[in-house]
Amino acid sequence: MNIPPELRYTKDHEWFRAEKGEGTVGITDYAQGELGDIVFVDLPDIGTVVTQGKPFGSIEAVKAATDLYAPISGEVVAVNGLLDQQPELINQSPYGDGWIIRIQIADTGEIDTLLDADTYHRLVSASGGH
């Protein structure tokens, strides 16, 4: 299981990468593996205001469907339009081409509430992941 040390994580298995006032969001390698083949991603519109811990979209996979939760609060400034035609990018590259949205960070203090890689690894291991 790939858990890049430079990213932050939520207990709901989203990852977050802060870059110059904005942050990129996706789901973790563990989450995409648990979901299986992803067949549809419901993305928010650009300009949507999201709130930390609240749903902003959903993912449908062969095995299950799940909501996506915002790791931080802010305004959606970009969505990965490739996912409309190629939702499998999340399975193929969850930390790269499979990114989901970019958020303009409303409160940088919220980043400190996210899990670091070691803590996320312990969370996943405790739930039976490797």
Side-chain angles (χ1 to χ4, degrees), residues 68-119:
L68 295 164
Y69 297 94
I72 63 162
S73 301
E75 181 179 334
V76 175
V77 293
V79 298
N80 186 350
L82 292 175
L83 297 178
D84 285 340
Q85 299 300 316
Q86 299 174 280
E88 68 275 11
L89 287 174
I90 294 175
N91 294 115
Q92 296 165 357
S93 179
Y95 303 112
D97 292 341
W99 66 276
I100 297 172
I101 61 171
R102 289 199 175 100
I103 298 173
Q104 184 174 14
I105 300 169
D107 178 0
T108 56
E110 288 181 348
I111 297 170
D112 294 335
T113 68
L114 300 174
L115 307 176
D116 63 23
D118 288 340
T119 304

Side-chain angles (χ1 to χ4, degrees), residues 3-126:
I3 303 176
E6 71 276 13
L7 302 179
R8 302 301 289 260
Y9 301 89
T10 71
K11 292 178 181 176
D12 297 310
H13 309 289
E14 285 86 12
W15 58 262
F16 180 80
R17 178 187 304 120
E19 303 159 293
K20 300 180 182 175
E22 293 182 0
T24 304
V25 178
I27 66 167
T28 65
D29 185 38
Y30 172 77
Q32 69 80 23
E34 289 294 303
L35 285 167
D37 294 336
I38 294 170
V39 296
F40 179 75
V41 183
D42 181 28
L43 299 168
D45 294 327
I46 292 174
T48 300
V49 175
V50 298
T51 303
Q52 185 179 40
K54 301 293 184 186
F56 70 82
S58 62
I59 288 182
E60 292 181 30
V62 172
K63 290 183 183 177
T66 186
D67 285 333
L68 295 164
Y69 297 94
I72 63 162
S73 301
E75 181 179 334
V76 175
V77 293
V79 298
N80 186 350
L82 292 175
L83 297 178
D84 285 340
Q85 299 300 316
Q86 299 174 280
E88 68 275 11
L89 287 174
I90 294 175
N91 294 115
Q92 296 165 357
S93 179
Y95 303 112
D97 292 341
W99 66 276
I100 297 172
I101 61 171
R102 289 199 175 100
I103 298 173
Q104 184 174 14
I105 300 169
D107 178 0
T108 56
E110 288 181 348
I111 297 170
D112 294 335
T113 68
L114 300 174
L115 307 176
D116 63 23
D118 288 340
T119 304
Y120 180 71
H121 186 266
R122 286 194 297 274
L123 174 81
V124 171
S125 295

